[in-house]
Amino acid sequence: MTDSLQPVRRVAVYCGSAVGSNPAYFAEARALGATIAAAGLGLVYGGANIGLMGAVADAALALGVHAIGVLPEVLAGREIAHDGLTQFELVPTMHDRKARMVELADAFLVLPGGYGTLEELLEVVTWAQLGLHAKPCIVINTAGYWDGLLAFLDSAVAAGFIKQKNRELLRVAANAEEAVRMAVEG
């Protein structure tokens, strides 16, 4: 298990490869990249130059952040790899990508996204529940995007499928600044 007192040096950001229908999603992604820079942190993310992923990376890189992209080979031929990253890693599978991002990151911040984002989020929270890491897991609830998931998790607690202490492993931030502060403070 990772030491929960370990200082946060790098944050992994999970988010969509699309920008979504609400301009607030893109704006918050750009704000997150800038906030990561202002906090002096590094970025670990999925390695793409499109969607919210590209927006976070571009904003962070513009301010000098050390940005690591981790892209699985299955996506390599789709011309989505960000070519301006500080460090780029091509890994064999999606499973390898997720494991590598967990290894590189000290906290996990989650913006809006689709199936992949949801799957990555639930996996890192599950790993925390199992004691495989003690790193902060924080959703950024831009424009109430995560309200449905949060209500579902509360229902799962009420139904006896998630313990309250494990529900608390997933924290909620209103915006990028709050999320980064929560990650740094632990």
Side-chain angles (χ1 to χ4, degrees), residues 121-134:
L121 163 63
L122 293 178
E123 183 168 77
V124 294
V125 173
T126 300
W127 288 9
Q129 175 180 286
L130 295 173
L132 299 176
H133 72 78

Side-chain angles (χ1 to χ4, degrees), residues 15-176:
C15 59
S17 59
V19 296
S21 59
N22 186 334
Y25 305 146
F26 184 82
E28 197 66 49
R30 301 272 312 159
L32 182 57
T35 304
I36 290 168
L41 301 174
L43 169 66
V44 178
Y45 85 111
N49 62 5
I50 58 174
L52 298 185
M53 288 199 290
V56 171
D58 288 343
L61 286 163
L63 296 169
V65 168
H66 186 274
I68 304 171
V70 184
L71 192 72
E73 289 174 356
V74 70
L75 298 177
R78 298 187 186 186
E79 298 181 1
I80 64 166
H82 198 300
D83 62 4
L85 298 174
T86 315
Q87 183 177 334
F88 179 79
E89 297 186 16
L90 189 63
V91 295
T93 68
M94 292 293 284
H95 293 293
D96 293 320
R97 173 202 230 176
K98 292 184 298 178
R100 183 64 176 144
M101 289 178 69
V102 169
E103 180 183 338
L104 290 168
D106 303 308
F108 307 97
L109 306 180
V110 188
L111 288 164
Y115 286 136
T117 303
L118 182 61
E119 190 267 337
E120 290 165 328
L121 163 63
L122 293 178
E123 183 168 77
V124 294
V125 173
T126 300
W127 288 9
Q129 175 180 286
L130 295 173
L132 299 176
H133 72 78
K135 302 172 184 181
C137 301
I138 304 161
V139 294
I140 301 170
N141 198 20
T142 308
Y145 183 81
W146 295 110
D147 288 349
L149 174 65
L150 298 169
F152 164 76
L153 295 175
D154 291 339
S155 294
V157 171
F161 289 101
I162 297 176
K163 294 179 182 172
Q164 184 59 42
K165 71 176 185 173
N166 293 327
R167 168 64 181 85
E168 293 167 7
L169 292 170
L170 181 59
R171 298 166 65 194
V172 182
N175 56 49

